[in-house]
Amino acid sequence: MAKKSARKKVSGSAKPSVRKALTKAKKGRAAKVKPAPKRQQADLKAAHGVSKPMTAAQIREAFRRWEAANSEPTTELAYSNPFTLLVAVVLSAQATDAGVNKATPALFALADTPAKMAALGEDRIRDLIKTIGLFRTKAKNVATLAHILVSEHGGEVPPTREALEALPGVGRKTANVVLNTAFGEHTIAVDTHIFRVGNRTGMAPGKTVHDVEMKLEAVIPPEYKRHAHHWLILHGRYTCIARKPLCERCVIADLCQWLGKSVAA
């Protein structure tokens, strides 16, 4: 079962800019959020993809800091192999990872391979995941994709986007997560968190999910692409949150172009 990586202590050999930024963030002095009306105005502009773009140097520095804070980020979904990862991601659509993780232990204890899941059947799957939103549709999709994996892919999760997206319940975002987490591909799965981070920070301003994905692919330095997806999603989930981001604890506050905060001196 995958576990969230422990946060890495900042090395004494880290660049001074990184040490300073992480220290400020740890003390809650990185930046201050502006009053709600100004934050809302800033978010309205950001949501339309009109944020001031970060420079290439700022983007590189942002990932350098995220790496210093968490060198091995990973998904928070619990899984044990590519198949259980695929199922967990399918179940996570319009649901929280925490909610999915409460339901999947019992499911995966009975069926952690496509053959076992196909044998379990749609009705039993539905009973085991009924605490998750859209559980009826998801049960049908999981049962069907398990049958397809057995009959068309030898019981294995295919490592290609085309084959993954041909499975029921699997779109581009789900395929990107599986390709990145299970197979080490340098893909970016843009969800609401990453869309928000890309636009707010100015790292990848875009009006659509696809726009943000393509821009991130273009601007992220190659050496950071393997873990970029998880750094971005964790930043959006725990720091750059929707209503009132925790700018005071943000390690990239001085690099971010969002107009809803003031950088501390």
Side-chain angles (χ1 to χ4, degrees), residues 153 157-166 175 179 183:
H153 298 283
V157 175
T160 67
R161 180 187 304 282
E162 294 75 17
L164 286 168
E165 290 187 12
L179 289 170
F183 300 111

Side-chain angles (χ1 to χ4, degrees), residues 232-245:
L232 289 163
I233 197 170
L234 291 172
H235 187 68
R237 185 172 288 168
Y238 296 113
T239 302
C240 195
I241 56 181
R243 183 167 294 181
K244 187 179 180 182

Side-chain angles (χ1 to χ4, degrees), residues 124-143:
R124 186 69 176 115
I125 295 170
R126 185 173 60 245
D127 289 341
L128 290 165
I129 66 167
K130 61 186 178 182
T131 57
I132 300 174
L134 304 175
F135 67 94
R136 291 182 177 83
T137 298
K138 291 176 180 179
K140 182 178 181 180
N141 287 338
V142 169

Side-chain angles (χ1 to χ4, degrees), residues 15-203:
K15 289 186 64 174
S17 61
V18 174
R19 294 200 302 271
K20 183 178 179 181
L22 299 188
T23 298
K24 273 192 172 183
K26 185 176 181 181
K27 293 181 178 180
R29 299 175 183 171
K32 293 182 179 179
V33 292
K34 294 179 179 179
K38 291 188 176 181
R39 295 201 307 270
Q40 291 165 1
Q41 284 184 336
D43 270 342
L44 185 61
K45 289 184 178 180
H48 285 81
V50 294
S51 300
K52 179 182 176 181
M54 292 175 73
T55 66
Q58 288 172 329
I59 292 171
R60 182 177 295 278
E61 177 68 10
F63 281 100
R64 183 183 291 118
R65 293 179 189 180
W66 283 330
E67 182 182 48
N70 184 2
S71 62
E72 293 291 332
T74 189
T75 181
E76 293 184 321
L77 288 170
Y79 72 97
S80 59
N81 57 39
F83 175 68
T84 53
L85 172 66
L86 172 62
V87 171
V89 180
V90 168
L91 296 179
S92 71
Q94 299 182 53
T96 65
D97 287 1
V100 173
N101 287 342
K102 288 180 181 179
T104 52
L107 175 65
F108 294 157
L110 295 174
D112 60 355
T113 68
K116 291 178 182 178
M117 192 70 73
L120 195 61
E122 180 181 339
D123 291 346
R124 186 69 176 115
I125 295 170
R126 185 173 60 245
D127 289 341
L128 290 165
I129 66 167
K130 61 186 178 182
T131 57
I132 300 174
L134 304 175
F135 67 94
R136 291 182 177 83
T137 298
K138 291 176 180 179
K140 182 178 181 180
N141 287 338
V142 169
T144 304
L145 72 81
H147 280 286
I148 293 173
L149 292 179
V150 171
S151 63
E152 299 181 16
H153 298 283
E156 301 290 336
V157 175
T160 67
R161 180 187 304 282
E162 294 75 17
L164 286 168
E165 290 187 12
L167 298 171
V170 179
R172 184 178 182 87
K173 184 176 72 173
T174 296
N176 278 345
V177 173
V178 174
L179 289 170
N180 177 263
T181 305
F183 300 111
E185 297 291 332
H186 294 177
T187 54
I188 307 290
V190 179
D191 64 354
T192 56
H193 297 300
I194 295 181
F195 183 80
R196 182 171 62 252
V197 171
N199 276 303
R200 260 189 186 163
T201 62
M203 185 174 290

